[in-house]
């Protein structure tokens, strides 16, 4: 097997300079005084498959990609648009006042070229978050970056922090991809517009043993699953911190050291399976919310979700790939953790076998470390995931965004939302401005994880609960970028 040059791996390409500061910044990136930290949205060039690619980025004046902060500090940021087109950035997972949520035409107007906007709100809790454009299909062009809020109580921990931002990448114009999908480029199926009574079969595509423990297999594609569309967009490459496995980032680590992986799925349309190989770790948080530790070496991560995994490395020299394999396929990306004297060998960009299908396998086993206080729901809402692959029209409760009926809540209520997937694809559903708890899966009650995004698989049903404690008008949508662009979004609105 070919041994790669460590110097080539550490210094080749343009992505590492931007991302190297993510793991071990020498300062807290957010200003603590009166002056806000400036973030610029601008173009940048990376190399993918030996070719230059012009993409977007979010960086500070000194080149740092993304932001670090501490819980309890203020979020004071000046966002400047250096693009030649409008843009706006959403602070994914944070709970700002709704006017500062970064969603065009819901929370605030888009920023025109050259314009700036200042944000100022408290950072209430620590966690692994991220930021990305919420305008058009800009997110597909890598307009995203990590946003890490550290816990001051963990400042003395002896562990190395490693941030990994995953992307799916295409050289094509995303608008062209959406036009082809909307013009019938998808599979000619139309389950989404069936009557509800025709869609009541239990989920058959997921295996409860799919993920979470190293000895358990991925979920197989069971009977009925062959009718599902697992991936509806094909990509040229899959990236981890802007790089492919042909030239991955190598992260120096210490033998026997403790590492905290902060994994962010910033892909536009791809769920991944995380593979730690021979190492097992403890999953300690999802979407920035602590969970009861769950040990394993393979974990699924849906679009826009985050996983915090704590590892203890072996005491000897070694190189340890951290891989992310595309759902249902062989393609993968990742980084390599390597001690000083360990040989670093090339990892194939295709696994020996296709990954399984993401679903409820991990979700069923997660338990919140600090669940919502027990109380009955004051309001229960129904949200059906509807639409059609045949016409590539994706809707919620049968309506596209713009013609949607808002989900109405009142401040102080405990709200439960019963989500049922009546389409032929899975959908990662993201609620802005709140953390919710997964309280039922396919009708079975549980004290599941607190999240901001939950994957709802084919034929699946999930109930989420949240406290209506952040008044405003909030986006609630599928985080598959092309599904959202095709209409799969609504709003949660507080009564006056």
């Amino acid at each position: 097997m070919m041994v790669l040059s460590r110097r080539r791996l550490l210094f080749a390409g343009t992505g590492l300079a931007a991302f190297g500061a993510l793991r071990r910044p020498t300062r807290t990136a957010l200003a603590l005084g009166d002056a806000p930290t400036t973030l610029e949205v601008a173009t940048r060039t990376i190399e993918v498959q030996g070719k230059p690619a012009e993409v977007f980025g979010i960086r500070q004046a000194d080149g740092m990609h993304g932001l670090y902060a501490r819980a309890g500090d203020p979020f004071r940021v000046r966002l400047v648009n250096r693009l030649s087109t409008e843009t706006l950035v959403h602070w994914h997972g944070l709970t700002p006042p709704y006017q500062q949520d970064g969603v065009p035409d819901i929370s605030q107007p888009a920023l025109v070229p050259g314009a700036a906007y200042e944000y100022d709100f408290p950072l209430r809790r620590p966690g692994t978050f991220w930021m990305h454009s919420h305008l058009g299909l800009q997110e597909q062009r890598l307009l995203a970056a990590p946003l890490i809020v550290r816990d001051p109580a963990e400042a003395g921990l002896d562990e190395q922090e490693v941030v990994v931002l995953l992307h799916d990448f295409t050289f094509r114009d995303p608008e062209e991809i959406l036009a082809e999908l909307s013009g019938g480029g998808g599979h000619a199926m139309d389950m989404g517009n069936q009557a509800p009574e025709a869609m009541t079969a239990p989920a058959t595509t997921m295996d409860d043993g799919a993920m979470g423990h190293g000895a358990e297999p991925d979920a197989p594609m069971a009977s009925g699953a062959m009718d599902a569309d697992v991936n509806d967009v094909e990509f040229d490459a899959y990236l981890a911190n802007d790089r492919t496995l042909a030239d991955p980032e190598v992260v120096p680590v210490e033998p026997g050291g403790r590492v905290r992986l902060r994994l962010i799925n910033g892909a536009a349309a791809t769920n991944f399976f995380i593979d730690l190989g021979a190492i097992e770790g403890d999953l300690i948080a999802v979407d920035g919310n602590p969970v009861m530790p769950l040990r394993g070496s393979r974990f699924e991560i849906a679009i826009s979700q985050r996983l915090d995994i704590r590892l203890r490395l072996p005491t000897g020299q070694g190189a340890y790939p951290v891989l992310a394999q595309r759902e249902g396929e062989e393609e993968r990306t990742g980084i390599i953790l390597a001690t000083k004297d360990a040989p670093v060998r090339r990892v194939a960009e295709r696994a020996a076998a296709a990954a399984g299908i993401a679903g409820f396998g991990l979700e069923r086993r997660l338990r919140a470390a600090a669940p919502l206080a027990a109380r009955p729901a004051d309001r229960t809402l129904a949200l059906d995931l509807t639409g059609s692959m045949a016409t590539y029209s994706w809707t919620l409760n049968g309506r596209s965004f713009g013609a949607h009926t808002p989900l109405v809540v009142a401040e102080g209520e405990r709200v439960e939302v019963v989500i049922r997937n009546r389409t032929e694809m899975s959908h990662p559903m993201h609620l802005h401005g709140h953390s919710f708890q997964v309280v039922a899966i396919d009708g079975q009650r549980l004290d599941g994880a607190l999240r901001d995004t939950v994957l709802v698989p084919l034929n699946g049903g999930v109930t989420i609960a949240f406290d209506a404690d952040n008044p405003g008008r909030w986006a609630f949508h599928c985080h598959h970028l092309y599904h959202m662009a095709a209409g799969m979004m609504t709003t949660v609105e507080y009564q006056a």
Side-chain angles (χ1 to χ4, degrees), residues 265-290:
N265 187 354
T270 303
N271 301 319
F272 291 102
F273 282 60
I274 302 300
D275 183 0
L276 305 178
I279 298 179
E280 286 197 336
D282 291 315
L283 177 62
I284 59 172
V286 297
D287 295 359
N289 297 285

Side-chain angles (χ1 to χ4, degrees), residues 6-31:
R6 180 179 298 276
R7 181 172 181 83
R8 176 173 176 268
L9 284 167
L10 284 175
F11 299 103
T14 58
L16 183 60
F19 279 96
L22 286 173
R23 296 187 309 279
R24 295 172 295 280
T26 57
R27 58 184 173 81
T28 298
L30 285 183

Side-chain angles (χ1 to χ4, degrees), residues 366-395:
L366 294 175
R367 295 294 180 268
L372 294 179
R375 60 177 282 194
D378 300 297
R379 188 185 300 252
T380 301
L381 303 170
L383 187 68
D384 281 7
L385 314 184
T386 47
S388 169
M389 190 70 183
T391 59
Y392 215 77
S393 172
W394 301 104
T395 56

Side-chain angles (χ1 to χ4, degrees), residues 297-364:
S297 61
R298 290 180 63 84
F299 303 93
E300 65 193 65
I301 182 169
I303 299 163
S304 90
Q305 290 182 340
R306 287 87 65 211
L307 302 178
D308 284 31
I309 302 173
R310 183 166 281 146
L311 308 175
R312 173 68 74 177
L313 299 176
T315 56
Q317 299 292 328
Y320 312 102
V322 176
L323 304 176
Q325 186 173 345
R326 185 190 188 200
E327 176 190 19
E329 304 291 346
E330 299 170 358
E331 296 99 328
R332 60 187 180 182
T333 186
I335 66 167
I336 300 174
L337 310 177
T339 59
K340 180 180 178 181
D341 297 322
V344 180
R345 303 183 183 278
R346 184 181 296 278
V347 177
E349 293 184 82
R350 299 182 71 89
I357 309 302
F360 287 142
L362 173 60
E363 203 68 53
R364 291 185 193 276

Side-chain angles (χ1 to χ4, degrees), residues 117-431:
Y117 187 91
E118 292 195 7
Y119 297 83
D120 189 348
F121 56 85
L123 289 168
R124 297 183 174 89
R125 60 189 179 90
T128 299
F129 308 111
W130 64 302
M131 47 187 161
H132 59 83
S133 171
H134 221 291
L135 195 149
L137 301 175
Q138 291 178 346
E139 186 187 326
Q140 179 69 87
R141 293 188 61 191
L142 311 194
L143 207 165
L147 200 174
I148 307 301
V149 182
R150 295 186 175 123
D151 187 347
E154 296 180 340
L157 288 181
D158 182 18
E159 67 179 14
Q160 180 177 344
E161 186 177 73
V162 177
V163 176
V164 182
L165 178 59
L166 302 170
H167 282 298
D168 42 27
F169 173 83
T170 178
F171 286 105
R172 300 179 64 195
D173 183 346
E175 294 287 351
E176 178 184 316
I177 293 173
L178 180 60
E180 288 185 3
L181 291 167
S182 301
H187 299 294
M189 297 172 58
D190 192 357
M191 295 169 62
N193 291 329
Q194 293 184 22
E197 57 270 20
M199 297 292 297
T200 56
T204 57
T205 61
M206 311 304 155
D207 185 330
D208 285 351
M211 296 300 299
H213 297 280
E216 293 175 345
D218 293 348
M221 190 172 286
S223 60
M226 294 302 293
D227 293 332
D229 288 283
V230 178
N231 296 296
D232 52 0
V233 180
E234 292 301 317
F235 293 97
D236 294 306
Y238 299 89
L239 309 179
N241 292 354
D242 278 356
R243 301 168 76 155
T244 69
L245 280 173
D247 181 25
E249 180 179 5
V250 173
V251 179
V253 294
E254 296 296 325
R258 193 164 73 167
V259 173
R260 181 179 185 145
L261 294 173
R262 294 184 183 266
L263 306 173
I264 304 167
N265 187 354
T270 303
N271 301 319
F272 291 102
F273 282 60
I274 302 300
D275 183 0
L276 305 178
I279 298 179
E280 286 197 336
D282 291 315
L283 177 62
I284 59 172
V286 297
D287 295 359
N289 297 285
V291 295
M292 301 303 292
L294 185 63
R295 194 155 186 82
S297 61
R298 290 180 63 84
F299 303 93
E300 65 193 65
I301 182 169
I303 299 163
S304 90
Q305 290 182 340
R306 287 87 65 211
L307 302 178
D308 284 31
I309 302 173
R310 183 166 281 146
L311 308 175
R312 173 68 74 177
L313 299 176
T315 56
Q317 299 292 328
Y320 312 102
V322 176
L323 304 176
Q325 186 173 345
R326 185 190 188 200
E327 176 190 19
E329 304 291 346
E330 299 170 358
E331 296 99 328
R332 60 187 180 182
T333 186
I335 66 167
I336 300 174
L337 310 177
T339 59
K340 180 180 178 181
D341 297 322
V344 180
R345 303 183 183 278
R346 184 181 296 278
V347 177
E349 293 184 82
R350 299 182 71 89
I357 309 302
F360 287 142
L362 173 60
E363 203 68 53
R364 291 185 193 276
R365 286 191 290 276
L366 294 175
R367 295 294 180 268
L372 294 179
R375 60 177 282 194
D378 300 297
R379 188 185 300 252
T380 301
L381 303 170
L383 187 68
D384 281 7
L385 314 184
T386 47
S388 169
M389 190 70 183
T391 59
Y392 215 77
S393 172
W394 301 104
T395 56
L396 295 174
N397 287 338
R399 293 178 176 269
S400 296
F401 184 67
H404 65 285
T405 300
L407 302 177
V408 177
V409 302
E411 187 174 4
E413 289 184 331
R414 169 66 57 82
V415 180
E416 290 195 358
V417 184
V418 180
I419 307 173
R420 295 169 294 183
N421 187 353
R422 305 194 182 282
T423 78
E424 65 270 29
M425 289 198 72
S426 65
H427 301 281
M429 297 304 300
H430 171 53
L431 174 62

